Amino acid sequence: MVVAENVHKSFGRLEVLRGIDLEVRRGEVMCVVGPSGSGKSTFLRCVNHLEKITAGRLWVNGHLMGYRQRGGRLYELHDTQVARQRRGIGMVFQNFNLFPHMTVLGNVMEAPVQVNREPRAEARENALRLLARVGLEEKAGAYPRQLSGGQQQRVAIARALAMRPDLMLFDEPTSALDPELVGEVLDVMKNLAEEGMTMVVVTHEMGFAREVGDSLVFMDGGVVVESGAPREVLTNPRQERTQAFLSKVL
C-alpha cells in the first residue's frame, strides 16, 4: 500500500528526513514511534503530499505521490491531480480540525458532497452509519464545542472514513486528549484494524502498538533506527538508541 524509497525532506538547511525506506502492506497496521523532532509527523505528511519530499520516491496504492515520472525525471502534478490522489487517503491529526460552524453530521457529510459529489441523501445515510460506528450517532445534531475532546476525535475519524479511503494516517491522535478520553479513541482504531483497514499510526501509546500493530518503526534523527514486530522491538530492542528511548517511555 505504501512504499517509501530513500525519502528525504528538508526545510531550508534543516534536513528532517534523511533517507526513509519502508513498506506498508495492504491491511497492515504500522506504528511509528520516536522522540519529538525525529521526523515521524513529517514523514506522515509526506505520504499524502501535504509536504513535498526533497528527494526519493513515495508510492501509495501503486501510484507515485505528487509526481509523474518520465524518462527518469520527476514532474510535479497539478494541485487538482494531487487532490484526486489524496481522496484514497484519510488523515486524522493531533488537533481535531472540525468545522466549528457545522454540526457533527455536517462535518462528516461535507467532503463526500463537495469533493466526491455524492447525493446529499446518500452522504447523510453513510455519515449516520459512520457516526454509529464510532459510537456517536446520538450526537449528529451537536456542534464540536458541545463535545469532549475524545468525541471530537472520533468525529474526525468518521469524517476521514466518509471518503472511503484505502489508507488511514493517524498523527498522534490521542496526544491532545485528557488521559481518561484516550481509550475511546483507541477502541475505534482497534475496530478499524480488526476490519482490515491499512493504517500508519504515529503514536506514543506503546500498549496500542504492542496489541494492535503488525509492525513497529522507531525513528530518530530523520532515519529509521529499528523496525520489526512490535512485541519483539519493545521487549528486545537491538539498537542502543531504541533501548535508551524505550527505557524512558515504558
Side-chain angles (χ1 to χ4, degrees):
M1 180 64 76
V2 180
V3 178
E5 184 180 280
N6 196 30
V7 169
H8 290 251
K9 173 63 183 178
S10 297
F11 297 96
R13 294 183 178 180
L14 178 62
E15 192 174 20
V16 178
L17 299 178
R18 300 189 293 121
I20 302 294
D21 293 291
L22 56 79
E23 294 185 7
V24 184
R25 302 183 309 275
R26 187 176 300 276
E28 177 181 355
V29 178
M30 175 179 283
C31 294
V32 184
V33 302
S36 297
S38 59
K40 309 182 302 295
S41 294
T42 298
F43 174 72
L44 209 65
R45 293 171 65 86
C46 287
V47 171
N48 64 1
H49 205 64
L50 285 176
E51 297 289 354
K52 301 175 184 179
I53 63 176
T54 307
R57 302 286 190 276
L58 229 169
W59 290 267
V60 176
N61 213 6
H63 300 287
L64 190 63
M65 277 302 298
Y67 300 91
R68 59 185 172 85
Q69 187 167 327
R70 180 187 298 169
R73 296 188 62 184
L74 291 182
Y75 298 88
E76 191 167 354
L77 297 179
H78 191 272
D79 287 348
T80 56
Q81 295 171 301
V82 175
R84 195 172 300 121
Q85 288 185 322
R86 286 199 192 111
R87 291 181 189 179
I89 307 172
M91 187 161 185
V92 178
F93 300 87
Q94 296 178 37
N95 296 312
F96 324 120
N97 294 332
L98 300 178
F99 298 119
H101 63 289
M102 291 184 178
T103 64
V104 165
L105 183 62
N107 267 277
V108 180
M109 288 176 57
E110 181 71 2
V113 170
Q114 299 298 331
V115 178
N116 286 354
R117 305 302 181 192
E118 278 187 26
R120 291 193 67 84
E122 179 183 330
R124 185 178 190 278
E125 181 180 350
N126 187 49
L128 288 172
R129 179 182 61 80
L130 289 170
L131 288 173
R133 187 173 171 184
V134 300
L136 288 174
E137 189 175 18
E138 77 283 357
K139 297 291 186 181
Y143 286 86
R145 66 180 179 275
Q146 298 171 310
L147 305 180
S148 70
Q151 289 172 331
Q152 289 187 61
Q153 193 63 295
R154 285 187 280 156
V155 174
I157 293 172
R159 181 176 62 178
L161 292 173
M163 292 295 285
R164 298 179 172 87
D166 298 310
L167 169 68
M168 285 285 287
L169 308 176
F170 292 87
D171 187 7
E172 299 193 26
T174 60
S175 65
L177 301 178
D178 292 333
E180 66 268 21
L181 302 178
V182 168
E184 63 189 57
V185 174
L186 295 181
D187 285 343
V188 171
M189 295 169 65
K190 289 175 187 177
N191 290 337
L192 285 178
E194 290 169 1
E195 294 167 6
M197 174 63 73
T198 309
M199 299 159 60
V200 182
V201 184
V202 171
T203 184
H204 54 263
E205 299 290 343
M206 299 300 167
F208 175 86
R210 180 187 289 108
E211 180 183 348
V212 181
D214 297 300
S215 59
L216 180 69
V217 171
F218 172 64
M219 286 181 61
D220 189 31
V223 300
V224 173
V225 176
E226 187 165 349
S227 62
R231 291 180 186 274
E232 179 65 24
V233 174
L234 293 174
T235 305
N236 188 32
R238 300 185 304 274
Q239 303 299 322
E240 286 187 14
R241 182 65 188 96
T242 316
Q243 295 168 11
F245 173 77
L246 293 177
S247 70
K248 296 175 182 176
V249 300
L250 291 179

